[in-house]
Amino acid sequence: MCGIVGYIGRRDVAPLLLEGLQRLEYRGYDSAGIVITGKSGELKTVKAKGRVRELEARIPKRFAGTTGIAHTRWATHGAPSDENAHPHLDADNKVAVVHNGIIDNASELRAKLTADGTVFASETDTEVLAHLIGRAQAETLEKKVSEALRAVEGTYGIAVMHRDFPDRIVVARNGSPVVLGIGEKEMFVASDVAALVAHTRQVVTLGDGEMATLKADDFRTYTTEGSRTTATPTTVEWEAESYDMGGHDTYMHKEIAEQAEAVDRVLRGRIDDRFATVHLGGLNLEPGEARRVRRIKILGCGTSYHAGQIGAQLIEELARIPSDAEPASEFRYRNPVVDPDTLYVAVSQSGETYDVLAAVQELKRKGARVLGVVNVVGSAIAREADGGTYVHAGPEVCVVSTKCFTNTVVAFALLALHLGRIRDLSVSDGKRIIEGLRRLPGQIDEILKTEPEIKKLAREYADAKSMLFIGRVRGYPVAREASLKLKEVSYIHAEAYPASELKHGPLALIEPAMPTVAIVPDDDLLEKNRAALEEIKARSGRILAVAHQVQEKADHTIVVPKNEDELDPILMGIPLQLFAYHTALALGRDIDKPRNLAKSVTVE
Ligand code: AGP
């Protein structure tokens, strides 16, 4: 959840680290801090509650150095404050640590250290690590860090500096991402390539249990036990500009606007017209194995879970394999029956979400086959899965997911088509779906052109205290995702219900002050959906419909282009992303960094 960046080389380090922190701020943004090695070898630290700009304002004039580490925080242990901001130092101010993750046995270790006379300066779990490293008996910094890590349980991505070892930064990873950036006589480290790509696209991603020593002109990787590991740098797929706002006012707007291009990318090179199917190179699932799959269980959190719900419907419809989606966070705690004939699919934009990763690890421990549907290449979930497919949405910086949702659903449509064509989906249905997929980018562009209308509607509805979102079958996960979008970015309370459940309770909420957003596709359930609109209107409810034709009972309709019934959910969510965006804008919200949230939830 937090962002880490570090540098060792010849350049003035503070501006580099501040720039890196700005790029990582989406990972956590309640406080930030920086430590550098000063001219006479001392560690110089500045910390500030609030955004990176608050930290920047506090950096003194003379703050020069060529080695440093920095951090932007999303609080877990201890409220956001100057004291709790990272880096944390040991008692002698010799060791500085920045940390992403959670030390589970921190209270126990803190009690022991306190009993031994250590005075703590913060409420964080991370400070425990700084003291442990400071007290370690080993001679080298590498050994001191691994000695300390042996005492801790939990997850970490850490970067450590030590006054007595000014020529190096030592980093370690267990469960929280650490990426090394390899430059010319300079090295970087970060929790995310976003902080590095402006300087180098050559990266090494550490695996769990791995550590690295960075010196200005050299790096080496090894296990926490000290055995050397091989690290071959790879080239980051994305240019530095892909992480910029590109002329938009917010990342959310940029990412909504990029969707036609992103969908085009996930389709590119995968369609096989001859056999009316698609090729998904990394699935590692032979046709015979695919035919033997009896069930599919999709696991994800938040928006990815909603994308998985649509994915499960697509797989059932096209491949006729019973499928469902479940929040990974619930699944892992209910001691689920792990069935050998079930194929598990973990879905995650970041590929880091702790609950999803933990579910994958538990499934693999029990011998299950797990595929990943992931956006971030080389991320923990992608590495842990037996195979899978990337969704190729490109970097998504806004905390609120938009383009990645759309691309994930398209990736599921490809998976469903692939499985369907191995099983019983006919050539003509295969062709029909392929044609539908090909129409998507153009139709997305059409929807995006209606933004001025949607903006007006958003302003009209922005005074609502609460909104209901309804949809039936294919429309229900669309409603759920749209309601999540609205609540996380505008802070308006929103809840989603299957339209069929209205009479069983939520109808009691309907009154003029409680608008309903209804998903009304032109499919075999159109009349049923219209009946729901009648029921709401009869109780003086205001209705905004997203439909393929104007809905008479609705106060307003956003008309979207029609695709194949199975693919309609991909398009119907897009206007509601814009609706959430413009509602939040009208209410003056901090769109890219909603309160209390962070992009990658790497803790439970
Ligand atoms: C999306 O708008 C949310 N902020 C959130 O629900 C997110 O989708 C969820 O935390 C899962 O993240 P992931 O896709 O990176 O695993």
Side-chain angles (χ1 to χ4, degrees), residues 42 45 109 126 219 236 292 302 308 322 346 365 431 465 489 523 549 564:
E42 78 287 15
T45 310
L109 293 169
T126 305
F219 77 95
V236 179
R292 284 192 291 277
R365 193 185 63 77
K431 286 192 167 149
K465 294 279 165 288
V489 73
D523 61 11
Q549 50 179 303
E564 299 306 317

Side-chain angles (χ1 to χ4, degrees), residues 96-115:
V97 181
V98 292
H99 168 222
N100 177 12
I102 289 192
I103 307 300
D104 294 331
N105 58 342
S107 355
E108 194 188 304
L109 293 169
R110 179 183 271 263
K112 273 197 206 152
L113 287 162
T114 310

Side-chain angles (χ1 to χ4, degrees), residues 454-464 542 555-556 579 586:
I454 297 173
K455 182 176 177 179
K456 253 198 248 157
L457 287 173
R459 288 186 171 170
E460 237 175 90
Y461 286 82
D463 62 348
R542 261 199 302 170
D555 298 83
H556 303 98
F579 180 75

Side-chain angles (χ1 to χ4, degrees), residues 299-306 347-354 356-357 373 375-376 381 396 398-402 404-405 408 481 484-485 488 594 597-601:
L299 301 166
C301 295
T303 288
S304 289
Y305 159 57
H306 296 151
V347 50
S348 174
Q349 184 285 128
S350 59
E352 282 177 34
T353 302
Y354 184 76
V356 184
L357 182 61
V373 175
N375 190 40
V376 177
I381 294 167
E396 193 179 63
C398 179
V399 166
V400 176
S401 179
T402 51
C404 203
F405 170 76
T408 303
E481 172 56 14
L484 175 66
K485 260 342 40 127
E488 63 181 342
L597 300 181
K599 185 71 178 164
S600 314
V601 186

